[in-house]
Amino acid sequence: MLESGSGGIISPLITITPIIIMTRKIKAVSLISGGLDSLLATKVIMEQGVHVEGINFYTGFCVEGHTHAIRKKDKAKPKRNNALWVAETLGIKLHIIDVIEKYKDVLINPKHGYGANMNPCHDCKTFMVQQALVWIEKNDFDFIITGEVMGQRPMSQRKDTMPVIAQESGAGDRLLRPLCAKHFEPTLPEREGWVTRDELLDFHGRSRKPQMALAEHYGFDDYAQPAGGCCFLTDEHYSKKLVDLWDARGNKEYEMDDIMLLKVGRHIRPAKNFKLIIAREEGEVNFMQGYRNRFISIKTISHSGPLVLLDGQPSAEDCQLAARIAARYSKGKLENEVEVELRQINGEIDLIRVKPIGISEMPASWSV
Amino acid sequence: MAEFKLDASGLLCPMPVIKTQDRVAELNNGDILEIVCTDPGALNDVGAWCRINGHKVLVAEQNETQVLIKIEVMR
Ligand code: SF4
């Protein structure tokens, strides 16, 4: 109590400042491939009240990407990007990040080697989690989710390799795999109580039944059914063409155009210095037209036939041989002579007449 | 409010979506972005990207050779 100047007693003026405790919403970023596992993993965490946004890395090899636009036979199927579909189904934002350049080092020098084909899955997963870590730090998110299931993939989803990926990526225990979390020590989000461990799952192995049952539980029915992995590097034929390209060039460098052209056409390599890319159908012809200013191209004139691009450094003699091979794939393959248009990169055109190459003159080893 | 153009011709999905996303990040509420692409898949994908991120699709058309999408940036 204080005394007033007039001798009375006054009460001190007490100002009470209300203390507002701002509870910041916990935020996670989920690696969305477009498949069922990442859809489910994200949903499991969203159900726990965590704010989740999706992230999708475009390496250039993703099956999700441009091939849908190339082949005519695929045009009947409705086109959709499954990662976008997953995000829309879940009602979350999706950030698609172009990592084409950064990914080159992962593919060219994988520390843990390649899988059955040219798929560097272990290093690829590490790289993606590492990129996601950079993203969450920049955007003030708390942890990372993936849809990995222990034992589902032989290289990157084993009980012993999954912790290595967490460690090597730098994410450590900020990486949570909701579909199989119970097989591992509690991660930071579990220990901090951001998520309830009891509501996480213990899926393991190659069976898809638990995922399908969970999808049914959530009412998801139109999800993508990937056949053989999320990228072209798991494909045997694609990998063979990539290795052939690297062998022929004497190094493992590649550009976006190389990646795209490995996805189209029949590839025939008569010599180290050049190969033919022969369109197999109309969709590929249309797609390859766009490359006529960057590659020497061949088209049969007297008979209908496919568009052919020549990759590499063919000599004049090589171009003659290529023209004979192109004629072999035209309607005039049994004729004595076929007229062929040979177009240089600068647009100069030579019309030449060639005899289609005989099947016995084409060793099987030319076919990539 | 200003109008901008993005030429994503020759790019195959998801590159038109990535280019749209990166361009929109630099724009303000109410800005209009017109995107021209040649990959027919962009019609669906850019539309889906807009719905997810709350931007308004004003035009989405396709002819023999091109896809034209016009969006309004909503923040
Ligand atoms: S399948 Fe392809 S994208 Fe998926 S982890 Fe392996 S290398 Fe990476």
Side-chain angles (χ1 to χ4, degrees), chain A residues 65-66 69 79 88 92 96, chain B residues 12-13 21 39 44-45 51-52:
Chain A
H66 29 66
K79 283 181 208 72
E88 197 169 9
I92 61 169
I96 308 181
Chain B
L12 296 180
C13 280
Q21 170 189 269
D39 179 356
N44 191 27
D45 293 355
R51 288 193 298 277
I52 289 167

Side-chain angles (χ1 to χ4, degrees), chain A residues 59 61-62 103 118-125 128 153 156-157 228-234:
Chain A
T59 63
F61 296 97
C62 311
Y103 194 73
M118 293 308 288
N119 48 312
C121 290
H122 187 127
D123 292 81
C124 176
K125 280 270 155 64
M128 289 187 182
R153 298 262 177 90
S156 56
Q157 297 187 25
C230 44
C231 90
F232 272 98
L233 297 168
T234 57

Side-chain angles (χ1 to χ4, degrees), chain A residues 242-269:
Chain A
L242 181 63
V243 171
D244 164 76
L245 185 84
W246 285 346
D247 284 350
R249 290 189 183 165
N251 65 55
K252 286 183 166 184
E253 299 305 318
Y254 63 87
E255 295 305 325
M256 196 57 195
D257 284 346
D258 298 321
I259 304 176
M260 310 261 270
L261 286 170
L262 292 181
K263 292 176 187 173
V264 296
R266 192 189 306 278
H267 291 228
I268 293 179
R269 181 177 295 286

